[in-house]
Amino acid sequence: MQRTPLIAGNWKMNLDLTSAGDLAKALHQNLDGLPGRDVVVIPPTPLVHAVATILDESTIKVGAQEVRAEASGAYTGDTSIEMIKSIGATYCLVGHSERREYHDETNKSCCEKIRALLNAGITPIYCVGEKLATREAGETLKFVEEQLRVGLGDIDGEEVLHVVVAYEPVWAIGTGKVATPEQAQEVHGHIRGYIGHLFDPEDGEGIRILYGGSVNAENIDGLMACPDIDGALVGGASLKADVFERIVKFEDV
Ligand code: PGA
């Protein structure tokens, strides 16, 4: 099954209105209409509208980093799915390890968000991945299976192809310590098989699985050469236009 590669830039809690606008304009100029791959940028929520407006006429899509599953209500400081949708987001991260770490995100709450996002027609990018101690205990595959089983527990086979999975080993995020292509491929291949088992083998073949964790211009080609890596979720290296452009153009250089 043909899977279109997807490169997503997670800007995390960086940039402001001016610098985010400058970055979006540079990406618009250099990455618009690039064939054979999807490109998404994921600014902080207050900047989504401005970035989406700049990229409105381009092929680059915009995502949000976080939402609440409830439609509305007394949740001070939180953001609803309709809010991000109304300002131009078509993707949303779910279960990023920093949300799991600092905001008590659980597999169960991820499940509710994925359900609600799909209801609204927004593509969830569901982040999974183990900490170093789990890897060293040899429990990575079991740990990731549980994240998938619970997180994807409220959707059916028709819908799972509207979800993107991002495998992000926590020990590789922001540390400069990228997983080797072999380490990443092992988990990606396992995730694909497990999704095939949870849903249907065709769903396993069709779902896009991104790698995340210290992706940069130097290591992207080796990662993208792996058969089960369909793209990347890029943090730090997505903040510089030229570096992110090189990552997006992984095969062309
Ligand atoms: P990093 O972050 O590329 O800075 O390691 C990746 C992520 O957290 O999505």
Side-chain angles (χ1 to χ4, degrees):
M1 188 179 292
Q2 194 64 28
R3 300 184 297 266
T4 305
L6 189 163
I7 306 288
N10 173 11
W11 295 358
K12 305 194 180 186
M13 198 177 75
N14 293 296
L15 307 178
D16 61 13
L17 188 59
T18 306
S19 54
D22 290 346
L23 179 53
K25 283 178 205 151
L27 298 179
H28 189 180
Q29 206 162 32
N30 297 321
L31 294 178
D32 182 34
L34 209 63
R37 65 212 66 199
D38 295 337
V39 182
V40 181
V41 293
I42 308 176
T45 303
L47 308 178
V48 165
H49 186 230
V51 169
T53 303
I54 290 166
L55 296 173
D56 188 35
E57 303 277 292
S58 87
T59 54
I60 303 170
K61 304 286 185 227
V62 181
Q65 297 175 14
E66 175 59 17
V67 283
R68 205 178 167 95
E70 288 82 356
S72 63
Y75 301 108
T76 302
D78 286 346
T79 305
S80 76
I81 294 169
E82 283 307 316
M83 289 173 194
I84 63 153
K85 192 173 172 178
S86 72
I87 57 174
T90 53
Y91 285 76
C92 186
L93 295 180
V94 178
H96 190 281
S97 65
E98 287 149 16
R99 301 297 307 182
R100 293 179 190 263
E101 179 79 15
Y102 306 131
H103 295 274
D104 299 325
E105 186 84 277
T106 63
N107 294 336
K108 182 81 179 46
S109 60
C110 289
C111 171
E112 288 161 11
K113 290 177 186 184
I114 290 169
R115 176 69 270 152
L117 285 163
L118 288 172
N119 288 348
I122 304 264
T123 303
I125 301 178
Y126 180 40
C127 304
V128 299
E130 81 289 359
K131 290 187 177 170
L132 190 57
T134 304
R135 173 160 286 268
E136 288 176 346
E139 289 177 353
T140 296
L141 300 179
K142 205 174 82 187
F143 183 81
V144 170
E145 276 187 9
E146 181 67 3
Q147 291 181 316
L148 293 169
R149 187 183 65 75
V150 179
L152 302 178
D154 197 20
I155 62 175
D156 63 36
E158 302 268 290
E159 296 173 305
V160 72
L161 291 181
H162 296 290
V163 176
V164 174
V165 171
Y167 169 58
E168 299 204 298
V170 179
W171 48 271
I173 295 180
T175 57
K177 230 178 162 189
V178 65
T180 64
E182 294 73 28
Q183 284 174 321
Q185 169 57 33
E186 184 201 9
V187 183
H188 279 238
H190 191 80
I191 290 173
R192 195 173 300 294
Y194 189 65
I195 288 175
H197 161 78
L198 283 178
F199 297 93
D200 184 276
E202 272 190 19
D203 295 324
E205 277 309 303
I207 196 162
R208 292 190 288 186
I209 309 171
L210 316 182
Y211 170 79
S214 297
V215 172
N216 60 34
E218 283 76 46
N219 57 34
I220 184 67
D221 294 341
L223 290 162
M224 291 305 293
C226 298
D228 289 304
I229 297 184
D230 306 315
L233 181 54
V234 186
S238 70
L239 295 170
K240 290 213 169 77
D242 56 339
V243 178
F244 189 64
E245 283 163 29
R246 170 60 183 84
I247 293 170
V248 169
K249 292 178 178 170
F250 59 90
E251 283 172 341
D252 297 350
V253 178

